Amino acid sequence: MEKLSLKEEIKDASHRIRKRKSEIENEIDNLETRIVKFTNWAWSFVWIGIGISILSILYFICKNVEYGFALNLLGDFLGGSVASVWSLAGLFFIYVAFLGQKQQLLNQQLEIMYSQLEVKYTRLELAGQKEELKTQNNTLRQQRFENTFFQLITLFNSIVDSLDLRKSSTKEIISTGRDCFEIFYKRLNIYSKNMFGKKDLIEVPISISIKAYSQLYKKDKSDMSHYYRTIYHIFKFIDKSDIENKKQYT
């Protein structure tokens, strides 16, 4: 859910950025045009002031060759004319600087929007890594469970294969492995018939079957105890684990 919401946020943010980027680029282009325009005006007034200064100095020099050189008149004229032109040029330069700052602010605004989008992408990537890590942990947990489970199954099979029934008198082996359970069943059926008559094992009450099994277990405890104890631990291990599809393993 978090990943989906992040994708929606990124989609909305990208749409807003594209829309705002177009607006900002238009504003920046307009500002650039105005900056060029007012910069040209400012330099024009600077050069006009320089031209007036040069012409004024030349004029006063030529005019005052026979009457003396009047610097006070030249200073008053330059202060009244050139200073005003350069002041106007200075205002234009200040206005151009203001436009440049506004242009910078627009660029910063766009950068901030991209930074916010990048943060969202980072969050999305971290969310993906989190899910991937969770999947890896689940896989590792499943692998650990299965390793132990199949080791138990191997142990169980080795216990079954190691079963052997012998004659009590001669100790001769009469059955091994899984074939022993056929003899166990025949013995259980015999004990049951001795207790409840000549009926087959499936027809007697469960209480008689339990008593018959108790007799069988006492006689063959050395073979059966290890077998059933291992089965019990396998089922207990599956039940206590936090895996899914426990029924499949049982």
Side-chain angles (χ1 to χ4, degrees):
M1 293 297 294
E2 182 182 358
K3 195 171 182 180
L4 288 176
S5 61
L6 280 173
K7 286 183 177 179
E8 291 175 357
E9 288 181 16
I10 290 173
K11 185 178 179 180
D12 292 339
S14 299
H15 178 70
R16 288 197 304 270
I17 287 176
R18 284 195 298 269
K19 183 178 179 182
R20 183 56 184 155
K21 180 182 178 182
S22 178
E23 295 175 355
I24 289 176
E25 286 177 349
N26 289 334
E27 291 183 33
I28 290 175
D29 290 340
N30 292 332
L31 288 172
E32 187 66 30
T33 302
R34 291 164 68 183
I35 287 173
V36 172
K37 177 181 177 182
F38 286 102
T39 301
N40 291 335
W41 276 102
W43 280 112
S44 297
F45 283 113
V46 169
W47 287 111
I48 289 173
I50 293 174
I52 293 173
S53 300
I54 294 172
L55 292 174
S56 300
I57 292 171
L58 292 175
Y59 175 78
F60 275 94
I61 291 174
C62 296
K63 188 69 176 175
N64 288 285
V65 170
E66 47 185 85
Y67 298 104
F69 188 72
L71 288 176
N72 58 336
L73 295 176
L74 178 61
D76 291 339
F77 178 76
L78 293 176
S81 59
V82 177
S84 300
V85 174
W86 281 356
S87 296
L88 184 59
L91 287 175
F92 282 143
F93 279 124
I94 292 173
Y95 184 63
V96 166
F98 168 75
L99 293 177
Q101 287 181 346
K102 189 175 181 180
Q103 200 176 38
Q104 272 187 341
L105 289 174
L106 290 173
N107 285 322
Q108 288 176 357
Q109 183 182 356
L110 192 59
E111 288 178 4
I112 290 172
M113 294 177 72
Y114 275 116
S115 298
Q116 291 174 347
L117 183 62
E118 185 176 354
V119 170
K120 293 183 186 296
Y121 272 114
T122 303
R123 287 175 55 196
L124 180 63
E125 184 178 354
L126 290 175
Q129 290 177 354
K130 184 179 178 181
E131 287 189 6
E132 185 178 351
L133 184 61
K134 184 178 179 181
T135 303
Q136 289 177 352
N137 288 336
N138 291 336
T139 303
L140 289 174
R141 185 168 61 248
Q142 186 80 10
Q143 288 177 348
R144 286 196 299 269
F145 166 80
E146 289 188 349
N147 287 338
T148 306
F149 173 75
F150 287 114
Q151 285 176 4
L152 289 172
I153 295 296
T154 302
L155 173 63
F156 175 74
N157 287 328
S158 67
I159 290 172
V160 173
D161 293 336
S162 65
L163 290 175
D164 58 352
L165 295 178
R166 300 172 183 265
K167 290 182 179 180
S168 58
S169 57
T170 62
K171 300 300 181 181
E172 179 187 353
I173 297 176
I174 59 177
S175 183
T176 59
R178 299 183 185 277
D179 294 335
C180 294
F181 288 93
E182 185 177 353
I183 297 177
F184 288 150
Y185 180 77
K186 289 178 180 179
R187 289 178 180 177
L188 184 64
N189 204 17
I190 293 172
Y191 294 146
S192 175
K193 286 180 179 181
N194 292 337
M195 292 180 185
F196 201 72
K198 302 236 178 227
K199 290 188 178 181
D200 195 77
L201 182 62
I202 60 174
E203 298 175 355
V204 301
I206 186 66
S207 58
I208 299 299
S209 297
I210 293 175
K211 289 180 181 179
Y213 173 76
S214 297
Q215 286 188 4
L216 176 67
Y217 185 76
K218 287 179 182 178
K219 179 176 176 57
D220 297 296
K221 183 177 181 180
S222 59
D223 290 312
M224 299 179 70
S225 61
H226 201 186
Y227 173 84
Y228 284 113
R229 187 163 53 246
T230 305
I231 290 179
Y232 167 76
H233 283 296
I234 291 174
F235 278 104
K236 184 178 180 181
F237 173 71
I238 296 171
D239 183 61
K240 295 293 184 182
S241 64
D242 54 355
I243 62 164
E244 298 178 355
N245 299 325
K246 292 183 179 181
K247 186 176 180 181
Q248 173 186 349
Y249 292 97
T250 55

